Amino acid sequence: MKILSTANQIESFLGAEPLQTITIRVTKACNLKCLHCYSISGAKLKNELSLEEIKNVIDQSKKLGAMRVFFTGGEPFVRPDISKVLKYADDNGFAIYISTNGTLFNKKIVNTLKSLKHLRTLQISIDGLKKTHDAIRGVEGTFNKAITWAKFIKKEFEDTDKKIAFVLTLMKKNRAEVVRVYKLAISLGIDVFATVPLYPVKRSKNAEDISVKEKYKIFQDLCKIYKNIKPKTKIGLLVPPALIPKLLKEVEYGNGYVCTFPSMLGIDANGDVAPCDGLLSYRNFILGNIRKNYLEKLWDHPLMEKLRKIEPNNLKGVCKGCEYLSFCMGGCRARAYIEYGNFNAPNPLCQSFYENNLIK
């Protein structure tokens, strides 16, 4: 069976190129000061989207074919009306994913989460053990709050298909604790423990990246634990499939992270729209604002048309001859552009692994 691996092939097959995924930063406000925050969140914007405007975004996205919505921030649960936002997306059949720091829950919010029919994954950021996590997050007591609520919500989610994931961003400050955080997740019965490389855009220079060889060793160590213990807590390495160790290939998350770019849009708290959430910080990639343009018009923006013409075989570097190319499409194109200034450039992670002889 032939894989439809480009936007043009999908459009030819379906008659139109559907919007598959949207990410909505429901606010820029956040109660923490994370070193690695790539949305540079903190204070609420004066012109953030209202509840009705977010509902309108969801309506327009649905008409364009979107099936998944990621709610991010800032911290989504800072919004007093976040439950209404979530319920509206749920009523419209969207698969819902939420990224949170895990500190602002209450029983009313948890009951809302429990009632959502289409909530797929609640992602709680855990970036180390207590001291390290609190240092990275910039507020003391953050770790205890997040862990306490994770335990509570895990019990509330029993007998449902809703998943809780711990997501750890790899950096120098937590590199020595990654394995121990995974073991903590196992002990708590968390569904997924995911690691994600540090994003190039970040709040502080103190969020320092680790070396390629350190990443490789951490991936290998996590996989060995998984294979030896065979815990219910799955490993999610949020990297392209070529970087997944052989030990993990046959398990549920063995294909790595595959982005739906360019079949997605990122929407900022002020209504700005970009090809993906990772490009919202770059003014030259802002397609327009949802308050001034219909989403359909922005979806047909010349830049989106250009991005949808990217062919896997035109990618450069290590991606060009990769066996996973038709599947992963070169991984995160935003990272490729930020690193090399070209959407046809190789995935920076894969390229660095290749140059260090860690993959063929």
Side-chain angles (χ1 to χ4, degrees):
M1 182 177 67
K2 183 179 180 181
I3 297 175
L4 301 177
S5 59
T6 69
N8 288 337
Q9 290 172 354
I10 294 172
E11 183 174 359
S12 177
F13 182 77
L14 298 178
E17 163 62 8
L19 171 65
Q20 296 182 39
T21 306
I22 58 169
T23 64
I24 304 177
R25 295 183 182 178
V26 293
T27 183
K28 284 277 282 188
C30 187
N31 59 319
L32 303 185
K33 303 172 183 177
C34 305
L35 299 177
H36 57 293
C37 179
Y38 71 85
S39 63
I40 321 298
S41 297
K44 177 183 176 181
L45 300 177
K46 294 180 179 179
N47 60 339
E48 290 188 350
L49 295 175
S50 68
L51 173 62
E52 292 306 313
E53 287 174 320
I54 292 178
K55 287 181 177 180
N56 186 34
V57 168
I58 291 170
D59 289 341
Q60 292 187 48
S61 301
K62 185 176 181 179
K63 288 181 180 178
L64 289 172
M67 301 173 289
R68 301 192 299 172
V69 56
F70 287 77
F71 289 110
T72 68
E75 169 51 45
F77 292 101
V78 166
R79 277 191 76 117
D81 59 359
I82 188 62
S83 291
K84 294 179 180 179
V85 171
L86 296 173
K87 285 181 178 179
Y88 193 78
D90 191 56
D91 289 343
N92 278 275
F94 279 79
I96 297 171
Y97 301 80
I98 306 169
S99 179
T100 174
N101 61 42
T103 65
L104 296 180
F105 294 116
N106 56 51
K107 290 185 178 180
K108 185 176 180 180
I109 288 175
V110 174
N111 286 335
T112 295
L113 296 175
K114 189 176 178 181
S115 72
L116 299 175
K117 296 178 181 178
H118 304 291
L119 174 61
R120 296 292 182 262
T121 305
L122 180 68
Q123 301 176 356
I124 299 176
S125 298
I126 301 293
D127 286 312
L129 300 177
K130 182 179 178 180
K131 185 177 179 180
T132 300
H133 177 88
D134 287 358
I136 290 172
R137 294 270 149 184
V139 176
E140 191 174 346
T142 300
F143 178 83
N144 285 343
K145 286 182 181 179
I147 295 298
T148 298
W149 279 114
K151 290 178 182 178
F152 181 81
I153 296 171
K154 176 60 183 174
K155 290 181 180 178
E156 292 296 306
F157 281 5
E158 284 182 2
D159 302 320
T160 75
D161 60 355
K162 299 174 176 63
K163 294 180 179 179
I164 296 180
F166 280 179
V167 180
L168 179 146
T169 301
L170 292 170
M171 64 185 83
K172 284 187 178 180
K173 284 186 176 294
N174 62 17
R175 58 187 169 184
E177 297 182 2
V178 178
V179 168
R180 282 184 281 173
V181 176
Y182 179 39
K183 289 181 177 179
L184 172 64
I186 293 171
S187 71
L188 297 177
I190 300 303
D191 299 291
V192 180
F193 172 71
T195 61
V196 58
L198 187 67
Y199 198 72
V201 179
K202 53 188 182 291
R203 186 198 306 273
S204 172
K205 64 180 181 181
N206 292 324
E208 297 179 74
D209 202 359
I210 60 176
S211 71
V212 177
K213 292 185 178 180
E214 286 176 303
K215 291 187 181 84
Y216 179 81
K217 185 178 186 305
I218 288 171
F219 294 168
Q220 294 289 337
D221 289 344
L222 289 172
C223 292
K224 287 177 183 177
I225 291 173
Y226 184 81
K227 294 294 287 188
N228 290 335
I229 301 177
K230 295 182 171 59
K232 291 183 179 180
T233 302
K234 308 296 184 184
I235 291 179
L237 299 181
L238 303 185
V239 295
L243 305 187
I244 303 296
K246 292 181 179 179
L247 287 170
L248 207 65
K249 290 292 186 186
E250 71 273 19
V251 302
E252 183 178 357
Y253 291 91
N255 287 325
Y257 173 72
V258 179
C259 182
T260 59
F261 182 91
S263 300
M264 65 187 307
L265 290 173
I267 299 150
D268 213 342
N270 65 354
D272 283 347
V273 181
C276 73
D277 184 77
L279 293 173
L280 282 170
S281 299
Y282 297 84
R283 297 306 307 173
N284 55 316
F285 288 116
I286 300 300
L287 307 172
N289 191 285
I290 195 65
R291 288 179 170 134
K292 298 179 181 179
N293 304 103
Y294 284 110
L295 203 60
E296 182 177 9
K297 181 177 180 181
L298 300 180
W299 181 237
D300 291 332
H301 190 282
L303 174 59
M304 293 305 300
E305 292 183 356
K306 179 181 179 181
L307 294 177
R308 287 196 285 268
K309 290 180 181 177
I310 294 176
E311 296 281 345
N313 292 333
N314 290 336
L315 298 187
K316 304 180 185 300
V318 69
C319 290
K320 195 171 186 65
C322 180
E323 63 180 300
Y324 301 101
L325 182 58
S326 64
F327 176 65
C328 90
M329 285 286 291
C332 179
R333 293 292 85 208
R335 283 180 181 265
Y337 183 86
I338 293 168
E339 180 72 22
Y340 300 112
N342 187 341
F343 282 106
N344 286 324
N347 182 283
L349 288 170
C350 292
Q351 188 66 31
S352 62
F353 268 60
Y354 176 74
E355 291 173 357
N356 282 271
N357 299 313
L358 299 176
I359 60 172
K360 295 180 179 180

